[in-house]
Amino acid sequence: SARLEDVSKDYALGRTQVSALRGVSLAVEPGEFVAVAGPSGSGKSTLLNLVGCLDHPSAGRVVVDGRDVAALDDDALSDLRAQKIGFIFQSFNLIPVLSALENVEFPLLFRGLPRAQSRARAERALDEVGLGDVARHRPDELSGGQRQRVAIARALVTAPVLVLADEPTANLDSKTGEAILDLMLDLNRKQGTTFIFSTHDPKVLVHAQRVLRLADGRLEAAS
Amino acid sequence: SARLEDVSKDYALGRTQVSALRGVSLAVEPGEFVAVAGPSGSGKSTLLNLVGCLDHPSAGRVVVDGRDVAALDDDALSDLRAQKIGFIFQSFNLIPVLSALENVEFPLLFRGLPRAQSRARAERALDEVGLGDVARHRPDELSGGQRQRVAIARALVTAPVLVLADEPTANLDSKTGEAILDLMLDLNRKQGTTFIFSTHDPKVLVHAQRVLRLADGRLEAAS
Ligand SMILES: Nc1ncnc2c1ncn2[C@@H]1O[C@H](COP(=O)(O)OP(=O)(O)OP(=O)(O)O)[C@@H](O)[C@H]1O
Ligand SMILES: Nc1ncnc2c1ncn2[C@@H]1O[C@H](COP(=O)(O)OP(=O)(O)OP(=O)(O)O)[C@@H](O)[C@H]1O
Ligand SMILES: [Mg+2]
Ligand SMILES: [Mg+2]
């Protein structure tokens, strides 16, 4: 589960300050399928980064699985992310020198899973997102939507309890996007995986149990 | 205008070959507003890269403004791109150390326009895509949709005769995406700017005069 309590995030920019999130409070229960919608620049990626412990709030508390993440040191944070959280980045963040397969294997090897098993699981994860044929390609040898799907496979391969998906279907045609969505709905129903999406895609929004709307760094009252 | 005559594109991958485009023929007249649609991995970006002279075909001819681009040397190609073509990349390709404003100014300075005029035109271009407030931010200080709009402003600021737009609304919410589309339709109607889009976005497709469909590297017969 994940909770934000009156969270604000400011970025320093030269001598000015950008207020990206302002007094945001929300609670996501285990097993939920929640979407965060809002205009470009409204703070969606910032919100996901805070829930995923990739960044610290400027004010307020971030509580993941009952623990205030401000109380955790860097090693504990790194563990929490590796063990529990799967993050699908808006700009993918793939490792350029590794193949798609090696990119997806990486988090499993990082957790100490033996090579043979990591490879088998990574191959299966790539098949599930339709990339079985291009497993040996490096990111610069893949299309935009293929890179997006490698990022998705990598986030899901560790079977995390919480998946933070930053616009996971932005670069996908509707048929491929639907298939990815079905995969995620399936994980949510069968494994109880919690999903928090940031998305503009109406197809994702219709499947969300709850849609939180951000505008200018603030959450609008639930409708 | 732009023409592809029986164009194929293969990529070498280790000892195998990936056939990204196969025998594609198409002609786009000046002033057209054409969309290329198709599943992820079907060859859209590859097609746009060939029309934009960023890459060479493996077979067939690419003819831009009546000239076979295979006959042009690197300088002539670079000139053609700088003078006539605006390219909006699927992954933006912004210069990380420059601000949004400097990124948009760059093609104008490259053409020899004096600093004061380049700056004024770049500021106006950023205003037109709603980024007036964030002109001083660098790409890593911008949201995904803001980066996409910097890439759009940069492509349009030189008033090119041909704009190649690779999924220009993928990272934009529907309202921002509509505004960008209106901007482009306006340029098309008033300046006669030719647009070739690759897109999955139904909102872009409905505005296209013609939709070319790619599947597995081949163009389907026009409907
Ligand atoms: N490192 C940074 N420094 C300064 N400002 C930043 C930084 N990162 C983000 N911002 C600003 O914070 C605001 C929120 O950004 P964020 O990436 O969360 O938006 P978003 O809702 O994800 O947008 P999009 O839909 O375009 O991806 C934006 O106005 C952006 O310019
Ligand atoms: N440098 C490369 N080396 C090998 N294969 C490549 C390379 N670049 C692209 N490909 C392959 O060529 C095919 C077409 O890629 P392209 O980027 O044109 O697709 P696309 O239609 O733009 O897809 P998307 O909608 O996902 O952006 C894909 O199968 C891709 O894996
Ligand atoms: Mg974002
Ligand atoms: Mg593409």
Side-chain angles (χ1 to χ4, degrees):
Chain A
S1 63
R3 217 164 62 233
L4 296 184
E5 296 176 2
D6 205 25
V7 160
S8 295
K9 178 66 186 179
D10 305 310
Y11 293 110
L13 191 76
R15 279 166 297 155
T16 60
Q17 186 161 278
V18 177
S19 188
L21 282 185
R22 314 159 193 243
V24 169
S25 294
L26 63 88
V28 178
E29 299 308 315
E32 281 206 80
F33 202 87
V34 175
V36 179
S40 172
S42 57
K44 301 179 297 297
S45 296
T46 302
L47 191 158
L48 257 61
N49 288 345
L50 291 175
V51 175
C53 309
L54 291 167
D55 200 356
H56 302 286
S58 310
R61 293 208 312 156
V62 178
V63 182
V64 177
D65 264 11
R67 290 188 292 166
D68 183 340
V69 300
L72 305 177
D73 64 23
D74 276 358
D75 285 340
L77 272 179
S78 177
D79 264 358
L80 172 61
R81 287 195 302 261
Q83 301 302 329
K84 300 219 163 204
I85 299 173
F87 209 114
I88 303 165
F89 294 92
Q90 187 168 5
S91 53
F92 321 147
N93 292 4
L94 301 178
I95 302 172
V97 297
L98 300 184
S99 68
L101 185 61
E102 290 164 334
N103 263 284
V104 177
E105 262 186 302
F106 192 82
L108 297 173
L109 295 172
F110 188 74
R111 282 175 161 204
L113 196 70
R115 196 70 204 268
Q117 294 175 45
S118 300
R119 176 135 299 213
R121 271 177 70 165
E123 280 171 347
R124 204 157 54 238
L126 280 174
D127 282 338
E128 301 214 312
V129 296
L131 295 180
D133 294 346
V134 293
R136 296 287 183 290
H137 292 223
R138 287 192 315 273
D140 65 349
E141 297 165 334
L142 290 172
S143 78
Q146 289 171 337
R147 286 175 206 159
Q148 185 146 45
R149 284 180 279 161
V150 176
I152 292 166
R154 178 181 62 179
L156 301 182
V157 77
T158 51
V161 296
L162 172 63
V163 174
L164 301 166
D166 203 344
E167 308 206 23
T169 59
N171 281 279
L172 303 176
D173 56 288
S174 48
K175 189 149 166 286
T176 310
E178 293 271 358
I180 293 298
L181 199 46
D182 286 339
L183 175 66
M184 294 180 172
L185 284 164
D186 205 53
L187 281 169
N188 176 250
R189 275 193 301 258
K190 296 196 181 140
Q191 318 274 356
T193 308
T194 310
F195 280 88
I196 307 177
F197 290 85
S198 111
T199 186
H200 302 127
D201 189 345
K203 293 194 296 301
V204 177
L205 292 173
V206 309
H207 287 288
Q209 295 160 350
R210 253 205 299 161
V211 177
L212 304 168
R213 297 209 170 260
L214 268 180
D216 247 343
R218 291 189 204 279
L219 267 187
E220 300 180 344
S223 47
Chain B
S1 64
R3 220 163 61 232
L4 295 185
E5 296 175 3
D6 205 24
V7 160
S8 295
K9 178 66 184 178
D10 306 311
Y11 293 110
L13 191 76
R15 280 166 295 154
T16 59
Q17 185 160 278
V18 177
S19 187
L21 282 185
R22 316 162 192 240
V24 170
S25 295
L26 64 89
V28 178
E29 299 309 314
E32 282 206 81
F33 202 88
V34 176
V36 179
S40 172
S42 56
K44 302 181 294 298
S45 296
T46 302
L47 193 157
L48 257 60
N49 288 345
L50 291 175
V51 175
C53 310
L54 291 168
D55 200 357
H56 302 286
S58 310
R61 292 207 313 157
V62 178
V63 182
V64 177
D65 263 14
R67 292 189 288 166
D68 183 340
V69 301
L72 306 176
D73 65 24
D74 276 358
D75 285 340
L77 272 180
S78 176
D79 264 0
L80 173 62
R81 286 195 302 261
Q83 300 302 327
K84 299 217 161 203
I85 299 173
F87 209 114
I88 303 165
F89 294 92
Q90 186 168 5
S91 53
F92 321 148
N93 293 4
L94 301 179
I95 302 172
V97 298
L98 299 184
S99 69
L101 185 61
E102 290 164 334
N103 263 284
V104 177
E105 263 187 301
F106 192 84
L108 296 174
L109 295 173
F110 189 73
R111 282 175 162 206
L113 196 69
R115 196 72 203 268
Q117 294 175 44
S118 300
R119 176 133 299 212
R121 270 176 71 164
E123 280 170 348
R124 205 157 53 237
L126 280 174
D127 282 338
E128 301 214 311
V129 295
L131 295 181
D133 294 347
V134 294
R136 296 286 184 288
H137 290 224
R138 288 191 316 271
D140 66 348
E141 296 165 335
L142 290 172
S143 77
Q146 289 170 338
R147 286 176 206 159
Q148 184 146 45
R149 285 180 278 160
V150 176
I152 292 167
R154 179 181 63 179
L156 301 181
V157 76
T158 52
V161 297
L162 172 63
V163 174
L164 301 166
D166 202 344
E167 308 207 21
T169 60
N171 281 280
L172 303 177
D173 56 288
S174 48
K175 188 149 166 284
T176 311
E178 293 272 358
I180 293 298
L181 201 44
D182 286 339
L183 176 66
M184 294 180 172
L185 284 164
D186 205 53
L187 281 169
N188 176 250
R189 275 192 301 259
K190 296 197 181 137
Q191 319 273 356
T193 309
T194 310
F195 280 89
I196 307 176
F197 290 84
S198 112
T199 185
H200 302 129
D201 188 344
K203 293 194 294 302
V204 177
L205 292 173
V206 309
H207 287 290
Q209 297 160 349
R210 253 204 302 159
V211 177
L212 304 168
R213 298 206 169 262
L214 267 182
D216 247 344
R218 289 187 205 281
L219 267 186
E220 300 180 345
S223 48

